[in-house]
């Protein structure tokens, strides 16, 4: 807390108000410590010291998160709400506005603003829906006032974000549904998918993998519009506030539905993690998730050879995530390696360029669709061959960065150059992360292999991985199952 409130000892917390440092007045709500005032009854106090027994109060902080305007329905009818999180140098708190108050405030508050908030209803926070550190939350009402702080010194005194970071290696000991702050390096980026929940709601999610220097990696699920718009790439640092721990598929994490995460955070820990990843630290990580990190997407999943995978038994519904160092020796081109998709929902559309396109899923109509890759190709290593499916999140990388739309245009313009483009990208060596799963189709079981990510071979990283395997086995000891030395050829 602030230390100087309620007669506590030590140096009192002193936070400047919107107009600079004011005089010290009497206690607030029965407290006897000194406080800072902007003028008269306007009191700036630490967020950590706010409680329901105060009437007139004011807090100052930075808006670290602003939620979208949402609608709700209850017994009283339909309404509108939005929430934002306010952070000072010690603590943060969630503030929610409803209906007329929400409409009055939503356009005046932006993420990153430093503001003073005066008056509102203070109540106990519900930790199920609130990941701010304060044990209270605020409901803005007709008496709530918001003032923007413009003084540069006052703005600079408040951090842009604050984390109580938990190492990924400690997640294994945490109980399900615990809310934690984590920071790690992205090792995998899954594709965003939309599905219908058991409650009948349409949800969108994306699974990514993150790792840190505790030598652990874990799957993280991102939800909603944030999942669709997610722009992170393997090697980027990701910080997440209020991630929820789940025991699904081992240990996994789930980001808040309002997307409280930050790419490339301006934080000393981010610098350390980036250097750790660049030096090859992620190669020796242990996955806490049964998916292998990032939904099997791109973390250091167990290295296999293709001949070894031919002898693995796959139970229905249980995916296996693994990696292999291999080359592409054949693209299947019996059909176009793309489909025509809706620009809005990414589902398949019907039509053609002259008459226009139509989406049955979301009823979109338009003149221009988006072609997205759905390709099949064969990979080989010294021990075998395998047919793999790849989609729009990975295939452009294998074809020199060309989009499916541009490749389609090339085919229309010059069939020979189209064929040569595929030929130029054969027999290049990659480290592939693959998801294998036995699926039922028309009463038959079929083994499907999906490419989750690919990266060019880093021979320094490969050497470090080989040394890691060697260090695990004393001289004369047998190699660990599924970690054959032949996997690092």
């Amino acid at each position: 807390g602030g230390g100087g409130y309620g007669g506590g000892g030590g140096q009192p917390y002193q936070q400047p108000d919107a107009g600079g440092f004011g005089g010290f007045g009497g206690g607030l709500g029965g407290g006897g410590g000194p406080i800072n005032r902007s003028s008269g009854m306007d009191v700036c106090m630490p967020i950590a010291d706010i409680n329901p027994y105060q009437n007139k109060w004011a807090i100052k902080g930075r808006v670290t998160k602003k939620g979208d305007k949402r609608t709700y329905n209850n017994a009283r009818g339909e309404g509108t709400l939005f929430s934002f999180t306010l952070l000072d140098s010690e603590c943060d708190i969630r503030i929610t506005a409803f209906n007329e108050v929400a409409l009055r405030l939503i356009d005046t508050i932006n993420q990153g603003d430093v503001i003073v908030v005066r008056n509102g209803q203070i109540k106990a926070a519900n930790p199920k829906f609130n990941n701010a550190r304060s044990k209270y939350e605020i409901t803005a009402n007709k008496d709530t006032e918001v003032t923007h702080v413009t003084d540069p010194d006052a703005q600079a005194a408040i951090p842009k974000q604050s984390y109580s970071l938990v190492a990924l290696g400690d997640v294994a000991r945490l109980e399900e549904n615990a809310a934690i702050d984590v920071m790690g390096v992205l090792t995998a980026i899954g594709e965003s998918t939309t599905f219908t929940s058991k409650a009948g709601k349409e949800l969108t999610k994306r699974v990514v993998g993150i790792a840190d220097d505790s030598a652990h990696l874990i799957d993280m699920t991102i939800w909603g519009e944030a999942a669709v718009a997610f722009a992170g790439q393997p090697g980027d640092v990701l910080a997440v506030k209020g991630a929820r721990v789940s025991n699904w598929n081992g240990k996994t994490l789930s980001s808040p539905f309002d997307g409280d995460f930050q790419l490339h955070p301006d934080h000393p820990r981010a610098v350390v993690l980036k250097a750790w990843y660049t030096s090859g630290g992620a190669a020796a990580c242990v996955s806490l998730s049964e998916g292998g990190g990032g939904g099997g997407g791109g973390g250091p999943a167990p290295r296999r050879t293709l001949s070894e995978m031919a002898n693995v038994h796959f139970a229905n519904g249980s995916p296996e995530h693994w990696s292999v160092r291999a080359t592409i020796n054949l693209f299947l081109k019996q059909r176009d390696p793309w489909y025509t998709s809706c620009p809005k929902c990414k589902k398949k559309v019907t039509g053609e360029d002259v008459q226009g396109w139509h989406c049955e899923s979301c009823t979109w109509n338009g003149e221009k669709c988006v072609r997205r890759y759905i390709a099949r190709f064969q990979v080989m290593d010294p021990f075998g061959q395998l047919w793999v499916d790849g989609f729009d999140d990975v295939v452009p990388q294998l074809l020199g960065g060309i989009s499916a739309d541009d490749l389609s245009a090339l085919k229309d313009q010059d069939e020979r150059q189209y064929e040569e483009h595929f030929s130029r990208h054969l027999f290049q060596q990659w480290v592939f992360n693959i998801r294998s799963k036995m699926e039922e189709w028309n009463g038959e079981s079929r083994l499907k292999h999906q490419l989750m990510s690919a990266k060019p071979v880093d021979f320094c990283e490969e050497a470090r991985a080989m040394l890691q395997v060697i260090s695990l086995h004393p001289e004369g000891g047998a190699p660990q199952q599924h970690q054959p030395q032949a996997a690092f050829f």
Side-chain angles (χ1 to χ4, degrees), residues 302-314 320 322-324 381-386 436 447 449 479-488:
R303 183 67 63 87
R304 307 282 192 259
T305 64
L306 296 181
S307 61
E308 185 181 14
M309 291 308 298
N311 299 317
V312 174
H313 173 71
F314 294 88
E320 175 85 6
W322 53 285
S323 66
V324 62
D381 69 3
F383 311 99
Q385 297 177 331
L386 185 71
S436 299
L447 182 58
H449 304 286
Q480 184 181 359
Q481 187 179 12
H482 296 321
Q483 289 287 357
Q485 291 175 324
F488 299 98

Side-chain angles (χ1 to χ4, degrees), residues 48-341:
D49 286 355
I50 202 165
N51 64 71
Y53 307 105
Q54 297 157 332
N55 293 319
K56 295 290 185 178
W57 51 265
I59 53 176
K60 184 180 71 171
R62 188 182 300 277
V63 180
T64 57
K65 179 178 65 172
K66 178 187 176 183
D68 296 329
K69 181 173 69 174
R70 295 185 290 145
T71 58
Y72 65 90
N73 283 283
N74 58 23
R76 299 179 181 179
E78 186 176 287
T80 301
L81 66 88
F82 91 100
S83 298
F84 62 96
T85 302
L86 199 66
L87 167 75
D88 66 12
S89 59
E90 290 191 345
C91 188
D92 58 356
I93 193 168
R94 183 176 181 177
I95 302 174
T96 304
F98 293 87
N99 302 322
E100 293 84 0
V101 180
L103 296 176
R104 172 169 64 90
L105 296 179
I106 191 167
D107 292 331
T108 67
I109 297 172
N110 296 297
Q111 189 161 319
D113 288 351
V114 176
I115 60 175
V116 173
V117 178
R118 298 176 177 87
N119 306 324
Q121 179 187 357
I122 303 171
K123 61 180 181 180
N126 184 345
K128 185 176 180 180
F129 304 105
N130 184 345
N131 56 42
R133 276 179 284 175
S134 175
K135 60 182 179 181
Y136 300 107
E137 59 187 9
I138 298 170
T139 300
N141 55 31
K142 62 181 180 62
D143 297 321
T144 299
E145 299 176 6
V146 173
T147 304
H148 283 75
V149 176
T150 58
D151 179 72
D153 292 336
Q155 291 180 346
I158 298 178
K160 294 181 179 180
Q161 187 56 278
S162 178
Y163 300 99
S164 297
L165 294 173
V166 174
L168 296 182
D170 294 333
V171 173
R173 304 198 302 266
L174 299 179
E175 295 183 358
E176 187 168 22
N177 212 38
I180 60 173
D181 299 348
V182 294
M183 188 180 297
V185 183
L186 287 165
T187 60
I189 316 294
E191 190 170 1
S192 64
T193 59
T194 300
F195 64 99
T196 302
S197 69
K198 294 181 180 180
K201 293 183 178 180
E202 189 175 86
L203 300 174
T204 301
K205 71 174 184 178
R206 183 192 298 265
V207 179
V208 303
I210 60 172
D212 71 3
D213 53 4
S214 68
H216 288 79
L217 65 131
I218 195 168
D219 282 0
M220 164 86 69
T221 302
I222 300 170
W223 297 94
E225 290 299 321
V228 176
F230 188 76
Q233 297 295 324
D236 292 346
V237 178
L238 177 71
V240 184
K241 282 190 68 68
R244 295 284 177 177
V245 177
S246 172
N247 293 335
W248 172 256
N249 282 341
K251 284 289 186 180
T252 56
L253 295 173
S254 180
S255 73
F257 271 81
D258 50 7
D260 196 3
F261 61 81
Q262 184 179 7
L263 283 167
H264 316 293
D266 184 10
H267 193 282
R269 178 75 175 138
V271 178
V272 173
L273 289 172
K274 187 70 174 180
W276 166 81
Y277 180 84
T278 303
S279 66
C285 281
V286 176
S287 178
L288 297 172
S289 307
E290 292 180 2
R303 183 67 63 87
R304 307 282 192 259
T305 64
L306 296 181
S307 61
E308 185 181 14
M309 291 308 298
N311 299 317
V312 174
H313 173 71
F314 294 88
N316 283 339
S318 299
E320 175 85 6
H321 299 272
W322 53 285
S323 66
V324 62
R325 183 170 140 195
T327 61
I328 299 175
N329 65 306
L330 181 63
F331 284 98
L332 184 65
K333 301 192 295 292
Q334 293 176 345
R335 57 169 176 78
D336 291 335
W338 58 73
Y339 72 98
T340 51
S341 75

